[in-house]
Structures are given as structure tokens and as C-alpha cells.
């Protein structure tokens, strides 16, 4: 079986899809590979390849991590017409299968993929069996637990643009935390109206577990850490680079600093040599564990490995927007965090990486619905005063993406319910920048 997923074409792994393919191969004895579809792929050539690949084989195919791509969603329909049974797994599988509510009253809303997807699977792959795959209809949800299947065959990844090409993974991933601990807290968030709305008093309360824009926290929540033994099992099978060390990998954990410090002791005892560990983390983890991070950088220097803060969730440099994102931090917190990073860089040099020109790409979401005459000057002022453009500001910001299954999706639907404004959809995304008023065509 082939599992399709979104991929940039760069030499990084896709952990969830590769775990699923490894599970199908080893546990269910269904030989499976992962094929990452680049944005410039040829649908006709991919269709031709699949016709040949599935000759004399049962036409069952899987998809994971659609990344909101309408071209992939359209291709699923093409495959159905070619006689394929389609399985959807990964993040937001059930939400994308069912779509948004009340589509009969709001025709612009995303109607779901249940007309083109035969089987949707939410949760870990561990409970999938041959009987379920033969069901070929419906949506099934499985509970998360700490002892999930995490074996990975790092050689099972390919990409497709014009033809199938094997991808040699140079950056792997290791799962430490199932979901985000910040998503444990239930918050009632009062969101400001979007800047274009004339009714400035339309403040809407929503419930959010974690950041309001995060569809993953709403989909998965938090289910604990996998444990040292599982972490070590994952690290042992990472490919070995030319320097006889494990290839660089991302430690998947939104609060990775304390787990990384413990992990370094474990790999030392096991005689494993690491080259670089990338961290994607929150600002409050750095603020709370400055001493631990300093100690970790010191040990890393002694062992000849690098620690990269590859992506820190700053997201905005306006307190108003940070509040609407429910980030749980302030601009003052961000400034303190950047000060810590700069001091560690000065002390540990090439051992400690965090800068944009070192390959890091930190979170900066812009534009947003709340950009106005107050938030924009505030944000620009903070960027200049604290010299954020020197090291942490990415070359390009990321426009706010509202997935229909995120908490901000709830906000948009509430605006639609309380006003006559409607928002267009693009695949699984809500185009918040494209409000449609009564008797006004989309885009005006």
C-alpha cells in the first residue's frame, strides 16, 4: 500500500506516516511505503505510476497530513474514479471526514471528505487490523496511550513530483510527547472582533485547549510522554551519517528542555553518538528552564553535538494578538526569552544554535484578523526596539491559517451565526480575509 502525504521535497522524514507504513508492513504484512507529494506534482504522471504500481494488487491507498492542500483533495477524487478505496489517517482525520456543521444553512462551509474517503482513522495506528481495512466505510477513533507502536523504517520514504524518487532522510523525528501539555488547560478566551468588522463590540467567548489557532491541540490534546525506553528505541534506529553519528533529529515535545537533559544521560550510557538535536518549543519552557538549558548546552559542547532551537512559538510581537491566540505569554516574556538565547549563544557559540541565519525558523504569524492602527505599530515598534530582526524574525511571516477544526474555526462560525457575514472556504481552510456580505460576490 502507498500512504500519500504532503511533503516539501527537502530531506526530512514524516514520522507519523512512516510509522503507519512500518506498522502495515511489519504487523499486518501489507508492504507499504510513504510517498510525499510535492506542490508541483503532475497528476497525470502520478496516475500513470499508480496504474502500474497497483497492477495485480488490491487498490487500497492511504492519505495522511493533507496540510490543507486542495490539489491533494482533488486527487483523492481522481483516485476514487480510478477504482481505489481511500483511507484517511493522521491529524484531523475525523474532522476532515465529517466537515463543518450546518452546511445546509451555510453552503460555503467545508462539507467534509466522506463522499470521497471510504475509511477515516483517528488516533494511533495500533488498533488497525485486516478486518477494519476490509470494512472500507466510516470513521473510527482510537484512544491514545503511552505505549503506542513507534517503530520506524527510515528507508520507506519517497517523493513524487514528475516521478517517484527515494528520499534519503537527513533530518529525522523522535516522539517524546503525545500532543501538547499546554493543551491540558481549558481556557475561556474572549476574542476581539476582526479589524474589518464595523461592530467593535462583537467580542466572542470561545473555549480553547491550548493556542486558539492550533488544530492539532483540538484534535489530539495531550496524552503524556512515551518514556525513556521508547525514546531510546527510536534513537537507536535513526540512520547514521558520514560522521558516524546519528543524523540530526527533532525531539517532538512542545516542552523539550527537561526531557532532552535526561535523554543526553541515557544516550551516553548506551554509547550512542548524536550529532544535533532540534527543538520546537514554547517561550515559557525556555523561561522556566534557563538553568537546565544552560547545563544541557554545556554537556552538548563536551560531547561535540549541537542543540538547535529550530522553532520557538513567538507567533506575534503584539500583546493584543498574543491574547487572541491564547499563547499564555506576553511581549515582555518574548524579550526575556530572546535575551536568554543571546546569552547562551555568546557563551556556547556553534554548540547552541537558534538564529535565523543558522537555519532556525521561528513562529511569526502575520497577517491576522486583528491587524489595525494599534497592533501594527505596536508590533513594528517591538521588533525595532528589541532588534528582533537581527536573529529571531523569520525572513517571511506565515499568514494566519484557520483550519475548520481549530478553535478559531469555532470563532468564525460564531461570527457567521451572529452576523450576515460569511467566509469562503479553500479546501479545509477558512478564508478569514475574504468576508462576504449579503448580495456581495466573494473577493470584494
Amino acid at each position: 500500500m502507498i500512504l500519500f502525504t504532503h511533503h516539501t521535497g527537502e530531506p526530512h522524514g514524516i514520522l507519523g506516516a512512516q510509522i503507519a507504513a512500518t506498522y502495515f508492513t511489519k504487523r499486518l504484512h501489507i508492504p507499504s511505503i510513504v510517498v510525499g507529494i510535492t506542490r508541483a506534482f503532475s497528476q497525470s504522471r502520478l496516475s500513470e505510476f499508480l496504474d502500474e504500481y497497483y497492477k495485480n494488487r488490491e487498490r487500497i491507498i492511504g492519505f495522511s497530513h493533507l496540510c490543507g492542500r486542495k490539489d491533494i483533495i482533488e486527487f483523492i477524487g481522481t483516485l476514487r474514479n480510478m477504482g481505489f478505496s481511500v483511507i484517511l489517517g493522521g491529524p484531523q482525520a475525523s474532522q476532515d471526514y465529517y466537515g463543518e456543521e450546518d452546511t445546509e444553512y451555510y453552503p460555503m462551509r467545508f462539507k467534509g471528505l466522506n463522499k470521497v474517503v471510504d475509511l477515516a482513522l483517528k488516533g494511533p495506528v495500533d488498533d488497525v487490523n485486516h478486518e477494519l481495512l476490509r470494512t472500507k466505510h466510516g470513521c473510527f477513533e482510537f484512544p491514545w496511550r503511552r505505549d503506542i507502536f513507534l517503530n520506524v523504517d527510515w528507508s520507506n520514504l519517497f517523493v513524487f513530483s514528475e516521478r517517484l524518487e527515494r528520499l534519503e532522510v537527513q533530518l529525522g523525528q523522535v516522539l517524546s510527547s503525545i500532543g501538547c501539555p499546554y493543551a491540558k488547560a481549558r481556557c475561556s478566551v474572549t476574542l476581539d472582533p476582526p479589524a474589518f468588522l464595523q461592530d467593535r463590540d462583537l467580542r466572542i467567548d470561545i473555549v480553547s485547549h491550548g493556542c486558539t489557532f492550533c488544530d492539532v491541540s483540538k484534535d489530539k490534546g495531550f496524552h503524556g510522554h512515551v518514556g525513556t525506553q521508547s525514546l531510546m528505541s527510536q534513537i537507536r534506529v535513526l540512520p547514521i551519517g558520514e560522521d558516524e553519528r546519528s543524523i540530526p533529529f527533532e525531539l517532538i515535545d512542545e516542552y523539550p528542555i527537561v526531557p532532552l537533559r535526561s535523554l543526553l544521560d541515557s544516550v551516553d550510557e548506551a554509547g550512542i553518538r548524536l550529532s544535533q538535536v532540534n527543538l520546537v518549543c514554547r517561550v515559557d519552557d525556555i523561561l522556566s528552564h534557563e538553568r537546565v538549558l544552560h547545563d544541557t548546552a554545556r554537556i552538548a559542547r563536551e560531547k561535540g553535538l549541537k542543540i538547535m532551537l529550530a522553532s520557538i512559538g513567538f507567533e506575534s510581537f503584539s500583546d493584543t494578538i498574543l491574547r487572541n491566540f491564547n499563547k499564555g505569554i506576553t511581549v515582555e516574556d518574548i524579550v526575556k526569552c530572546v535575551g536568554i538565547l543571546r546569552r547562551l549563544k555568546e557563551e556556547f557559540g556553534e554548540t547552541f544554535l537558534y538564529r535565523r541565519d543558522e537555519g532556525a525558523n521561528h513562529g511569526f504569524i502575520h497577517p491576522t484578523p486583528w491587524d489595525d492602527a494599534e497592533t501594527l505599530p505596536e508590533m513594528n515598534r517591538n521588533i525595532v526596539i528589541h532588534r528582533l530582526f537581527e536573529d529571531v524574525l523569520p525572513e517571511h511571516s506565515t499568514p494566519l491559517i484557520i483550519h475548520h477544526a481549530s478553535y478559531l474555526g469555532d470563532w468564525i462560525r460564531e461570527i457567521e451565526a451572529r452576523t450576515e457575514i460569511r467566509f469562503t472556504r479553500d479546501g479545509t481552510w477558512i478564508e478569514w480575509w475574504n468576508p462576504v456580505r449579503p448580495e456581495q460576490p466573494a473577493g470584494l
Side-chain angles (χ1 to χ4, degrees):
M1 178 166 41
I2 288 179
L3 302 181
F4 279 125
T5 184
H6 159 76
H7 204 286
T8 63
E10 298 175 357
H12 62 79
I14 300 290
L15 183 65
Q18 290 187 260
I19 287 174
T22 306
Y23 176 87
F24 288 141
T25 301
K26 293 189 175 182
R27 291 285 179 87
L28 302 185
H29 307 293
I30 303 173
S32 301
I33 62 172
V34 179
V35 176
I37 304 179
T38 65
R39 289 196 178 272
F41 82 104
S42 168
Q43 285 205 24
S44 60
R45 292 192 178 183
L46 184 52
S47 298
E48 293 171 1
F49 162 75
L50 291 175
D51 261 335
E52 180 63 27
Y53 186 88
Y54 274 88
K55 185 179 293 184
N56 300 322
R57 297 181 183 179
E58 188 175 6
R59 291 201 162 199
I60 300 178
I61 204 159
F63 284 81
S64 174
H65 187 49
L66 302 179
C67 201
R69 285 179 53 181
K70 193 161 59 175
D71 58 345
I72 294 181
I73 294 174
E74 291 173 350
F75 188 62
I76 293 176
T78 300
L79 293 179
R80 282 293 300 273
N81 293 334
M82 294 171 60
F84 280 92
S85 295
V86 178
I87 301 172
L88 176 64
Q92 299 87 43
S94 64
Q95 292 93 329
D96 288 348
Y97 180 82
Y98 290 116
E100 296 182 81
E101 298 177 349
D102 299 328
T103 54
E104 64 272 27
Y105 305 113
Y106 302 92
M108 289 185 180
R109 291 186 178 178
F110 175 61
K111 296 176 176 59
L113 301 177
N114 49 78
K115 296 294 190 297
V116 293
V117 168
D118 298 283
L119 187 64
L121 306 173
K122 177 181 178 179
V125 72
D126 305 53
D127 293 310
V128 178
N129 54 39
H130 286 279
E131 181 180 359
L132 180 61
L133 294 178
R134 284 193 296 269
T135 303
K136 296 184 180 178
H137 183 71
C139 180
F140 297 83
E141 301 187 14
F142 308 115
W144 288 97
R145 52 185 184 267
R146 295 179 62 189
D147 59 339
I148 57 176
F149 180 90
L150 289 173
N151 295 351
V152 185
D153 176 3
W154 287 106
S155 68
N156 65 8
L157 181 60
F158 299 76
V159 292
F160 196 100
S161 180
E162 297 290 323
R163 63 184 183 277
L164 187 73
E165 299 179 87
R166 182 181 293 276
L167 191 68
E168 182 179 348
V169 176
Q170 297 177 21
L171 176 64
Q173 300 90 28
V174 170
L175 181 67
S176 170
S177 172
I178 303 173
C180 176
Y182 184 58
K184 291 189 299 182
R186 181 186 186 277
C187 299
S188 178
V189 185
T190 302
L191 296 177
D192 296 324
F196 59 78
L197 202 64
Q198 292 182 347
D199 184 0
R200 305 312 299 159
D201 294 327
L202 187 64
R203 288 178 168 79
I204 293 175
D205 294 331
I206 65 168
V207 172
S208 180
H209 292 260
C211 302
T212 57
F213 56 82
C214 185
D215 49 319
V216 175
S217 68
K218 190 173 185 181
D219 176 63
K220 186 180 293 184
F222 176 67
H223 300 277
H225 293 82
V226 301
T228 301
Q229 183 176 349
S230 180
L231 273 176
M232 292 302 298
S233 296
Q234 296 176 71
I235 290 175
R236 286 190 179 96
V237 300
L238 284 168
I240 303 299
E242 295 180 356
D243 58 358
E244 300 302 319
R245 295 172 178 260
S246 299
I247 62 169
F249 65 89
E250 175 193 338
L251 185 65
I252 300 178
D253 191 326
E254 296 295 320
Y255 288 86
I257 294 176
V258 172
L260 175 59
R261 175 62 189 86
S262 175
L263 181 62
L264 292 185
D265 289 338
S266 297
V267 297
D268 192 42
E269 293 173 3
I272 299 173
R273 300 177 68 206
L274 306 181
S275 57
Q276 179 172 310
V277 182
N278 291 2
L279 307 180
V280 176
C281 68
R282 290 176 45 86
V283 167
D284 51 322
D285 192 27
I286 296 172
L287 296 180
S288 301
H289 300 111
E290 178 181 0
R291 288 190 177 183
V292 178
L293 186 56
H294 183 278
D295 187 43
T296 303
R298 176 186 57 79
I299 294 172
R301 181 169 60 186
E302 293 172 355
K303 297 182 180 301
L305 68 98
K306 296 179 180 180
I307 305 297
M308 172 181 276
L309 274 295
S311 183
I312 302 170
F314 298 126
E315 313 309 359
S316 182
F317 308 104
S318 160
D319 280 324
T320 297
I321 295 176
L322 287 171
R323 177 177 52 79
N324 284 315
F325 284 163
N326 193 37
K327 284 300 299 180
I329 58 172
T330 64
V331 173
E332 182 181 359
D333 293 329
I334 291 175
V335 172
K336 290 179 181 177
C337 175
V338 173
I340 292 172
L341 300 177
R342 289 169 175 169
R343 289 193 296 273
L344 289 171
K345 180 65 179 177
E346 184 176 353
E347 181 173 355
F348 294 104
E350 291 303 309
T351 294
F352 183 81
L353 311 176
Y354 81 94
R355 294 175 55 92
R356 176 183 62 249
D357 56 11
E358 294 171 330
N361 185 28
H362 302 300
F364 177 33
I365 299 175
H366 175 77
T368 77
W370 304 286
D371 299 334
D372 58 24
E374 293 183 4
T375 59
L376 285 173
E378 175 196 6
M379 186 165 58
N380 292 332
R381 184 170 59 250
N382 286 325
I383 289 172
V384 172
I385 290 175
H386 303 292
R387 311 187 330 275
L388 303 180
F389 53 84
E390 293 181 2
D391 49 3
V392 301
L393 197 70
E395 292 187 9
H396 304 286
S397 62
T398 301
L400 176 63
I401 294 171
I402 298 182
H403 187 275
H404 73 89
S406 69
Y407 300 105
L408 287 182
D410 297 336
W411 174 63
I412 288 289
R413 285 184 287 274
E414 188 63 25
I415 292 177
E416 291 180 324
R418 295 193 191 186
T419 71
E420 295 183 323
I421 294 175
R422 304 292 180 263
F423 296 87
T424 57
R425 269 60 169 177
D426 183 13
T428 59
W429 294 352
I430 301 175
E431 295 183 319
W432 58 264
W433 58 88
N434 197 12
V436 180
R437 294 171 175 82
E439 300 179 0
Q440 173 190 314
L444 298 182

